[in-house]
DNA sequence: ATGGTTGCAAAAGATTTGCACCGGA
DNA sequence: TCCGGTGCAAATCTTTTGCAACCAT
């Protein structure tokens, strides 16, 4: 965690941005909830526990800033709000395959990268430079089906 | 096209809904733009060319109605608005794999279903009932890279 | 006349922006 | 002092909803 913060600080400094208290608080919340997929408002509420007078706009601006530096990634599960998760060295570059239960809304993950063949085909046949991908699988989880 | 309209009419009638002029106009626009991925507002503007006094709310309500009956499918490319495409017998049940150029916004399609193995694994290992999936591949197209 | 359908306007909800103020180098 | 960072409120943008009018059966 401490090293991670240092890394983020360095990354931001390269772009002439600072890791302020507010931003550090946002980062801390994301770090503590790496396994979740927090919405901006959820991040906001958690940050407010430590910094009661933070503004929602700051959270949005911070998330956008972090996004631009690849510190967090944002994802969309189709429920009308974005979700955010921080990226550390362990999951960097990994694509998440989200498995979404349509009944209870639970989200499972399959982090393995099984789409290499498909990506290779797209590259080759369409001469398309693949940068990223997202896979979502919808259905009913073991408890709901 | 005529047969298609009849089919849709029948489908709706089963649910005690009518295929009104307005709804037929929406369907016509979607049919004429099967290859595109129109947003609600784009559909609205196209419908207005034929039916100038249609309301945007009607377009939304129609798209939602059609969605519920599997007449259209909606998709989200992460640009803050939904896209709609009608489903006919030719592409019914097929999952679209969208390949999105991050520079020019062009959207290519790969309709083949290459994720069966992956779905089977999800089913087996997580005992998850797979109903649908979405795959999006981001990158740069042949013209932009 | 009955009940689904519609247009309009207002509401809702997530996110962004304008702006004045603040606070650390 | 200076300039990025911040909170607040207002604006934005897509989508939804309330409601009275409408239209076909």
């Amino acid at each position: 965690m401490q090293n991670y913060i240092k890394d983020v600080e360095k990354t931001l400094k390269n772009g002439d941005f600072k890791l302020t208290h507010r931003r550090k608080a946002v980062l801390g919340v994301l770090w503590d909830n790496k396994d979740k997929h927090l919405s901006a408002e959820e991040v906001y509420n958690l940050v407010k526990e430590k910094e009661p007078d933070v503004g929602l706009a700051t959270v949005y601006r911070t998330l956008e800033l972090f996004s631009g530096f690849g510190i967090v990634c944002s994802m969309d599960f189709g429920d009308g709000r974005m979700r955010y998760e921080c990226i550390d060295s362990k999951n960097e570059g990994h694509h998440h395959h989200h498995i979404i239960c349509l009944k209870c809304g639970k989200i499972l993950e399959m982090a393995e990268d099984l789409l290499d063949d498909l990506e290779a085909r797209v590259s080759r046949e369409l001469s398309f430079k693949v940068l990223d991908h997202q896979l979502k699988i919808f259905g009913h989880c073991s408890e709901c089906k």
Side-chain angles (χ1 to χ4, degrees), chain A:
Chain A
M1 172 63 170
Q2 290 313 312
N3 287 336
Y4 180 65
I5 292 182
K6 285 275 177 282
D7 287 346
V8 168
E9 199 162 7
K10 216 174 295 173
T11 305
L12 289 181
K13 203 164 286 175
N14 284 340
D16 278 325
F17 294 98
K18 299 176 217 160
L19 185 58
T20 61
H21 281 139
R22 291 285 129 98
R23 290 175 180 167
K24 207 177 286 190
V26 170
L27 189 63
V29 163
L30 291 170
W31 177 271
D32 292 340
N33 294 278
K34 278 207 287 290
D35 51 327
K36 309 222 181 47
H37 305 89
L38 301 177
S39 67
E41 189 139 22
E42 287 167 336
V43 172
Y44 169 64
N45 286 323
L46 289 168
V47 171
K48 263 211 303 206
E49 291 177 6
K50 307 249 170 175
E51 314 247 339
D53 55 349
V54 72
L56 179 56
T58 298
V59 171
Y60 273 104
R61 281 187 281 232
T62 301
L63 290 170
E64 203 204 331
L65 179 74
F66 284 0
S67 240
F69 281 95
I71 294 162
V72 312
C73 66
S74 62
M75 53 208 114
D76 178 1
F77 295 144
D79 63 346
R81 76 198 67 192
M82 282 299 187
R83 312 286 181 157
Y84 301 87
E85 189 177 330
C86 70
I87 297 172
D88 66 3
S89 49
K90 277 197 284 295
N91 67 6
E92 189 180 6
H94 277 75
H95 307 282
H96 288 197
H97 300 170
H98 289 111
I99 301 164
I100 302 161
C101 178
L102 293 171
K103 282 195 183 161
C104 67
K106 190 164 42 218
I107 293 160
L108 309 165
E109 289 198 18
M110 172 178 273
E112 295 166 83
D113 227 337
L114 298 175
L115 293 173
D116 293 341
D117 290 350
L118 193 53
E119 283 198 2
R121 271 191 69 171
V122 171
S123 274
R124 185 161 15 90
E125 294 177 15
L126 301 172
S127 99
F128 189 93
K129 169 77 178 162
V130 175
L131 296 174
D132 194 12
H133 70 235
Q134 287 177 7
L135 173 63
K136 292 179 218 166
I137 294 177
F138 300 94
H140 296 149
C141 72
S142 54
E143 289 161 34
C144 289
K145 75 177 182 185

